[in-house]
Amino acid sequence: MIFSTFKAIAFVAALATATPMAYAQSTTELEEDFSLFTAGSESSPSSAINDATGTIPSSYFHQSGWSGYGVHQASGACALISPDNYGAQLYTPHGAYIGEYEVKVRAKTLASNYRDNAQLTIGLWEDAATQYNQTTYHEPFTTTKSEWREFTFYFNNTTFNSSNLLIAFSTNDQVLIDDVKIGKPTTLTAPTPVGISGFNANGFTAHWNAVNGATHYLFSVFHNVKENENTEKDFLETFSSMKTSGKLPEGWGYKSQSGKEPEFFENSDKGIDGALLFKNGDVITMPDNGGYYNSLEINVVECKMPKNAEEIGNAQIIVELFDGFAWKYFTTIYVDASDYGQDKIFHDFDWTRFVKQDKYKCTSARFRLAGFPDDCALGFCDMAWSTKNTSTTHYDIKDKRVEGTSYTVDGLDPAIDYSFVVKACNAETTSPSSAAFDAIGVTAPVAEPATDVRRDSYTANWQLSPKAESYIVENYDLYTAPADAAGYVVLNEDFSKISGSGVTIDKPYAFQNGKYEKVNMDMVHNNGWQCYWGGYAEGCFVCTGLTDYNISGELVTPQLTLNNDEGRYQVKLKARSMLQNETLIVYSKSTRESKECKITPDDWSTFTLDFTAGQLSDMIAFTSKNHYPFIIDDIKITQNIKAGDHVYTYLNDSETIEEETSYTFTKLTQPKTDHTYAYRVYGQRVYNDKKVTSEPSNYVTVDFSAGINKTDAAQNATEVARYTVDGVKASSNTRGIVLVKYSDGSVKKLVK
C-alpha cells in the first residue's frame, strides 16, 4: 500500500485485485421498481420498514429475500437513511453472482440530507455468519438533490465462490433509489485468464473463464524478442497548449460523464500554470508512444474543493494500465478528508518502480474519478513518463479458434518465457483481448538413479531443468507390500505428542494465522502436516479461523499414497465444534472429493468416511463450512493394498540447492524388511519476486543392494572407492574388512 497525505485529501493508492471498467448491455436477472413501497413520499419518507435484524417483509418486493437497515418507503421509491455510524444498506436476495454482472440503479440525494451531494456505494457483499463482508468489487457514486441519475456498476467476480453473495446499496447519508436492474452483459466482454496447468519443457495448458454469449474463443501465444535498440524516450506534459488551442495535447484521451469538452485550469497564485481539469465520472487516458513505460510520475492538484471535508466521502481515482493487449487494474487512489485544511496543494506519485516490473508493464495508463462532488474538481499537471522499446512481440500462435475454455500448447522452446491472450467470439462480434497472462513455470526435473548408496546415506541425482534456479529434494520411505493387506494404515495421528501443555479444549491455544505453515514435529508423529489458523489443546489439534471474516481454520495431512485399490480409501476421525453446531468438511486437495460431518460443541463425534478417488500424491484437508473453530483428534487413514503395491511416506527434504544436480541424505536408519528409500526433485525459480515451483519428478527408488550384488570385477575395471563394512568411506591404508567398489559397479571384500 502507498500512503500520501495532502491539504484537503489523503490519497491512498492500494495495489489490489479489482474490476476494470466495462461498457455493455445486459439481460436482466433481477429487477425491482419499488412500486410496492406505497407509503411516504420523496420529500417525506415513511418510518423504517426493517426490524433490528435487517429483516423486511417480503410483501414489499416483487421477489422475496431482500433485507437491509435504514430502509424507508418513498411512494414508489426506496429511501436509504443512515440510522447510525454504520450507514443504511439495502441487500438483494442471496445468489452466486459469479462472472460478469451489470448493476443499474436510479438515485437521488434526499431533500432532507444536510448537503446537496451524497455518496451511494454499490458493491458485491457476502452474508457471513455474524455480519456482511464487502468484497473487492465495489464503487462509490455521487448523487445530487437536483436530479435523478442512472448509475451503472460493473464487476466480474472470479474470486468469491459462494451462494451467499448479494448486491448491496449503501450510504452514510440520505439517498433515494429506484429501478434496480441486475443482469449479465449481452455484448461480449474480454475473457479472464485464470492460470496454466501441466507446465513442461515444451508447453503448457492455458485456462480462462467462460464469457456469457461466447460460442468460441481466439487464442494467441507470444513471446518478446530482445532488440538491439535500447533508447529511452522522455515525455513531459504541462497542458499549457490547451490555453490557446482549447484541445487536448496529441495522444491524450478524455471521456466526460456529463458530455462536456476537456477544460484547462490555471491558478498562478498557487503555482498552477496549467492543468487538465478532472471531474466526477471523467476518464483520462495517457498517450501510447509505441514503447513500454520505463518511468511514470503523475501530479494531481486541487482545483476546486468542497466547503466541508465530509463531502469528499470515499471518493477515489481508479487507475488502469494497458499492457499492449488489454486494460487491467493497477491501483485505486482513495480520497478522504483526514487532513483537510493543511494548505498543501500538489500531490505527487512516482510509479516508476512498478512499471519497470514485468507484471505492471504498460504502454499507456488511464484514470477515472468516482464519488467526487459534481461541482468540484481535481487536475492533472506536469505528467512525466519515459518509454524504452527493448523488445518486440513475436506470435507463436495467432488467433487459434478454440471451442472450450482451455488449450494445450506444445512445441515451445524450453528456454523462452511465453504469454497468452484470449478473445471471446460469436457469430456477430469478437470481444476485446484479455489481459496478457504470463505462462511462467519450471519444468519438472528428470531424476536419475541414486549413487554412493551406503547403510546410512545415499546421493540423489537429477538433470538440470530449463529455467530452474534452484532445487528441492524430498526423501521418502518406500514400502512394497509383500502380500495383500486389508485396511493398511497409511496415516495414523492421535496428537499424543501434545502433552503436558496444561491447555484445555475450552480455552485452546492459537499459535498461527494468516498463511499455511508446517506443523512442528513436537506436535505430530509424521512430518509434513500443515495448518492454516491452527492451535492446540491437550492431546488434540484445534483450527480457529476468523468467523466474522469468513475465514476457516484448516489442517492438512502430509502427502499420502492413496492411488492403490483403484483410489478407494477410508478416513476415520474424532471431532467436535467449539462455539456452536458446525459442519466439518473433509476433502482431497488433489481431486476436491469431499464429505461433510455434523459436529456439536457438546461432545466428541466419531466418523468413518469412504472416498473413491485417491491419488499417488494426495493430501487430505479438514476445515469448517461456516467458519467456526473446531477440535480434531485420532485421524486414521486406511486403504486395502495388494502384493507389489507401493506406499510412499514423506520423511524430510533438502535445503535449497543452487544450480547443482545432486544432494546427499545422511544419518539415515537402515531400511526395514520390505522398505527402502525413494526421492523426487522439484525445480524452483523466482519471477516478479514470487517463488515458482515445478511439478515433482518421478519417484526414484534407492536400491540399497546396488553395487554389492557383483563380486567379480572386470579385468579393465578400476577402483573408485572403498568402504568399511558399516558404510564409512575408507582409505587404502584402512585395516580390517573393507569393501572395494570398481568402475563397472562390482564390489570385492578384502581383508587387510
Side-chain angles (χ1 to χ4, degrees):
M1 179 175 290
I2 308 165
F3 185 84
S4 302
T5 304
F6 310 110
K7 171 190 172 185
I9 47 183
F11 288 84
V12 180
L15 299 170
T17 302
T19 305
M21 288 182 292
Y23 303 95
Q25 297 176 341
S26 68
T27 55
T28 302
E29 291 186 4
L30 178 65
E31 188 170 3
E32 181 56 65
D33 63 2
F34 302 104
S35 58
L36 301 179
F37 279 38
T38 55
S41 66
E42 288 188 14
S43 59
S44 181
S46 72
S47 58
I49 59 174
N50 59 276
D51 64 18
T53 68
T55 301
I56 303 175
S58 59
S59 59
Y60 286 107
F61 300 95
H62 294 90
Q63 181 175 333
S64 62
W66 291 77
S67 60
Y69 299 88
V71 179
H72 304 251
Q73 299 181 76
S75 186
C78 171
L80 297 178
I81 301 175
S82 178
D84 50 37
N85 292 334
Y86 297 101
Q89 304 96 30
L90 178 68
Y91 307 119
T92 66
H94 290 177
Y97 294 108
I98 296 172
E100 303 156 8
Y101 274 86
E102 176 188 85
V103 182
K104 288 185 176 293
V105 63
R106 288 198 313 131
K108 181 180 182 181
T109 302
L110 198 63
S112 57
N113 196 57
Y114 68 101
R115 54 191 174 90
D116 289 339
N117 296 300
Q119 293 282 325
L120 174 68
T121 297
I122 309 174
L124 181 67
W125 290 25
E126 183 175 16
D127 187 358
T130 59
Q131 66 179 47
Y132 293 103
N133 296 323
Q134 191 175 63
T135 72
T136 52
Y137 307 110
H138 56 88
E139 185 173 328
F141 298 88
T142 301
T143 64
T144 67
K145 293 180 180 178
S146 58
E147 60 180 328
W148 282 93
R149 293 184 181 178
E150 183 176 73
F151 300 98
T152 305
F153 167 61
Y154 297 95
F155 67 89
N156 184 13
N157 176 25
T158 60
T159 305
F160 300 91
N161 187 8
S162 169
S163 60
N164 286 336
L165 297 178
L166 47 84
I167 309 299
F169 304 88
S170 59
T171 182
N172 287 319
D173 298 314
Q174 301 181 30
V175 174
L176 290 163
I177 65 171
D178 199 0
D179 298 331
V180 173
K181 296 180 181 179
I182 302 171
K184 294 273 192 179
T186 56
T187 56
L188 295 180
T189 56
T192 302
V194 293
I196 63 171
S197 63
F199 188 93
N200 58 60
N202 302 310
F204 58 88
T205 298
H207 302 268
W208 56 91
N209 284 331
V211 172
N212 185 46
T215 57
H216 62 281
Y217 302 87
L218 298 180
F219 175 75
S220 299
V221 173
F222 65 92
H223 68 277
N224 293 322
V225 179
K226 295 290 184 181
E227 293 180 339
N228 293 327
E229 179 62 36
N230 206 24
T231 304
E232 184 172 355
K233 298 179 180 178
D234 297 318
F235 301 89
L236 174 66
E237 184 54 64
T238 64
F239 301 102
S240 58
S241 63
M242 292 183 65
K243 186 173 184 178
T244 54
S245 69
K247 297 181 180 179
L248 278 175
E250 184 178 357
W252 286 79
Y254 178 84
K255 179 182 176 65
S256 171
Q257 180 175 273
S258 61
K260 294 181 179 179
E261 295 297 317
E263 298 179 60
F264 175 76
F265 177 85
E266 65 177 332
N267 188 334
S268 56
D269 292 341
K270 294 187 177 181
I272 305 175
D273 296 325
L276 172 61
L277 217 58
F278 194 25
K279 291 188 174 183
N280 186 53
D282 289 353
V283 179
I284 295 174
T285 306
M286 293 182 65
D288 186 334
N289 302 110
Y292 286 117
Y293 281 19
N294 195 53
S295 65
L296 177 58
E297 298 179 49
I298 70 167
N299 291 276
V300 181
V301 293
E302 298 166 11
C303 299
K304 184 180 179 183
M305 302 305 294
K307 295 180 180 179
N308 300 309
E310 292 81 5
E311 293 189 61
I312 297 172
N314 61 344
Q316 56 192 243
I317 301 174
I318 300 166
V319 186
E320 295 176 292
L321 304 178
F322 189 73
D323 66 359
F325 303 93
W327 290 101
K328 57 185 179 182
Y329 173 80
F330 171 58
T331 188
T332 296
I333 305 172
Y334 290 95
V335 183
D336 68 45
S338 59
D339 295 304
Y340 191 83
Q342 292 191 7
D343 199 27
K344 293 183 179 179
I345 196 164
F346 291 94
H347 321 299
D348 307 324
F349 298 89
D350 186 349
W351 288 326
T352 298
R353 66 190 178 97
F354 294 108
V355 298
K356 284 180 177 290
Q357 300 178 36
D358 285 343
K359 64 180 175 180
Y360 296 123
K361 64 183 181 182
C362 63
T363 61
S364 181
R366 74 179 177 191
F367 310 86
R368 177 162 54 104
L369 182 60
F372 212 60
D374 280 358
D375 59 346
C376 297
L378 301 175
F380 281 149
C381 69
D382 297 330
M383 307 282 280
W385 69 101
S386 65
T387 60
K388 201 170 188 179
N389 201 6
T390 59
S391 62
T392 57
T393 299
H394 173 78
Y395 282 92
D396 303 270
I397 299 174
K398 180 69 172 177
D399 289 340
K400 171 74 175 179
R401 182 185 174 113
V402 179
E403 302 301 324
T405 56
S406 66
Y407 185 78
T408 299
V409 185
D410 56 19
L412 301 180
D413 188 330
I416 293 176
D417 286 328
Y418 294 87
S419 303
F420 71 87
V421 293
V422 193
K423 302 172 187 174
C425 301
N426 58 27
E428 289 77 31
T429 186
T430 298
S431 78
S433 171
S434 71
F437 188 92
D438 295 332
I440 302 302
V442 181
T443 303
V446 176
E448 297 186 329
T451 58
D452 204 11
V453 181
R454 309 185 187 185
R455 290 176 182 270
D456 64 349
S457 65
Y458 71 85
T459 298
N461 301 284
W462 62 91
Q463 298 176 14
L464 290 173
S465 179
K467 303 176 187 172
E469 299 166 349
S470 62
Y471 301 89
I472 291 289
V473 189
E474 291 180 336
N475 182 35
Y476 288 81
D477 172 87
L478 169 57
Y479 171 67
T480 303
D484 294 0
Y488 176 82
V489 178
V490 180
L491 179 75
N492 193 8
E493 182 56 66
D494 61 3
F495 302 103
S496 59
K497 278 192 173 184
I498 307 174
S499 62
S501 66
V503 179
T504 59
I505 61 174
D506 57 330
K507 292 184 179 180
Y509 179 77
F511 64 85
Q512 177 265 338
N513 58 54
K515 62 180 180 179
Y516 285 94
E517 288 186 358
K518 183 178 179 180
V519 179
N520 292 333
M521 285 297 293
D522 60 355
M523 301 180 68
V524 291
H525 292 90
N526 294 90
N527 201 1
W529 285 88
Q530 300 176 71
C531 66
Y532 178 73
W533 289 95
Y536 66 85
E538 189 74 11
C540 54
F541 200 86
V542 178
C543 288
T544 55
L546 286 176
T547 307
D548 289 347
Y549 296 94
N550 287 0
I551 297 174
S552 294
E554 185 167 283
L555 178 66
V556 185
T557 69
Q559 289 191 357
L560 306 173
T561 301
L562 295 174
N563 64 321
N564 295 315
D565 195 25
E566 298 180 337
R568 294 183 289 266
Y569 62 95
Q570 192 173 80
V571 179
K572 295 183 180 180
L573 62 107
K574 189 169 71 172
R576 64 189 296 172
S577 62
M578 285 187 60
L579 302 179
Q580 65 178 51
N581 294 347
E582 177 58 288
T583 300
L584 178 71
I585 299 176
V586 183
Y587 72 98
S588 161
K589 282 282 192 177
S590 298
T591 66
R592 316 306 286 188
E593 182 183 11
S594 65
K595 307 292 180 181
E596 294 189 354
C597 310
K598 301 297 183 181
I599 56 178
T600 72
D602 302 324
D603 204 354
W604 291 95
S605 298
T606 301
F607 304 93
T608 300
L609 311 172
D610 292 316
F611 289 79
T612 60
Q615 302 295 300
L616 174 61
S617 298
D618 217 332
M619 292 187 293
I620 308 304
F622 307 86
T623 189
S624 57
K625 185 174 184 178
N626 299 309
H627 320 298
Y628 285 99
F630 64 92
I631 312 168
I632 193 166
D633 198 2
D634 294 338
I635 299 172
K636 188 175 183 180
I637 300 177
T638 58
Q639 187 171 50
N640 297 333
I641 60 175
K642 64 181 184 298
D645 281 349
H646 289 167
V647 179
Y648 297 90
T649 302
Y650 172 78
L651 297 176
N652 58 332
D653 57 35
S654 68
E655 69 266 16
T656 300
I657 305 158
E658 303 286 347
E659 299 181 352
E660 297 289 340
T661 57
S662 66
Y663 179 81
T664 301
F665 286 99
T666 60
K667 299 180 180 180
L668 304 176
T669 58
Q670 186 71 17
K672 300 176 183 178
T673 302
D674 302 321
H675 289 259
T676 186
Y677 289 100
Y679 65 89
R680 59 183 184 174
V681 189
Y682 297 80
Q684 299 180 140
R685 67 181 293 196
V686 175
Y687 182 81
N688 279 336
D689 300 324
K690 291 185 178 180
K691 183 179 290 186
V692 181
T693 302
S694 74
E695 293 295 317
S697 69
N698 292 330
Y699 285 102
V700 175
T701 301
V702 181
D703 186 357
F704 278 80
S705 65
I708 60 172
N709 58 351
K710 297 180 182 179
T711 58
D712 295 322
Q715 290 184 352
N716 61 349
T718 59
E719 180 179 329
V720 294
R722 59 178 60 199
Y723 307 91
T724 62
V725 291
D726 60 355
V728 177
K729 197 166 186 179
S731 70
S732 58
N733 297 322
T734 302
R735 292 191 173 275
I737 300 174
V738 294
L739 303 176
V740 182
K741 187 174 181 180
Y742 293 88
S743 58
D744 66 344
S746 62
V747 173
K748 282 186 178 181
K749 181 171 70 174
L750 298 179
V751 179
K752 187 175 178 180

